[in-house]
Amino acid sequence: MQWFLLLIIIIMNIGVLPLVNRVHPIIIGMPFFLFWYLLSMIVTPILSWWIYAIGKKKHDSDVRSAEK
């Protein structure tokens, strides 16, 4: 699951840029490329936190099982 979320971040920030590098449509008064980049700047930290939370939960359960 973590790798899938990380892959979404990479594709959203790097892989899709040639496809969204255009001016039209104008969204919220911004060219599409700027809107896409703003969206990725909002989504990337959320997905990064989610990856961290999944990893921490997995690590905590591994530590608890090792202590028994």
Side-chain angles (χ1 to χ4, degrees):
M1 178 74 170
Q2 295 169 344
W3 291 106
F4 178 70
L5 293 174
L6 187 60
L7 188 61
I8 289 173
I9 292 172
I10 292 170
I11 290 172
M12 184 175 189
N13 286 319
I14 298 171
V16 183
L17 287 182
L19 302 175
V20 299
N21 190 13
R22 53 190 159 143
V23 175
H24 296 288
I26 302 291
I27 301 173
I28 313 174
M30 294 182 282
F32 185 69
F33 175 76
L34 289 178
F35 174 75
W36 180 265
Y37 218 68
L38 176 68
L39 185 67
S40 73
M41 288 185 348
I42 293 169
V43 170
T44 297
I46 294 169
L47 290 179
S48 298
W49 173 81
W50 196 8
I51 292 168
Y52 169 77
I54 291 170
K56 184 168 174 58
K57 184 177 179 181
K58 182 178 178 186
H59 175 72
D60 289 347
S61 67
D62 290 345
V63 169
R64 278 191 229 124
S65 65
E67 289 176 352
K68 289 183 180 180

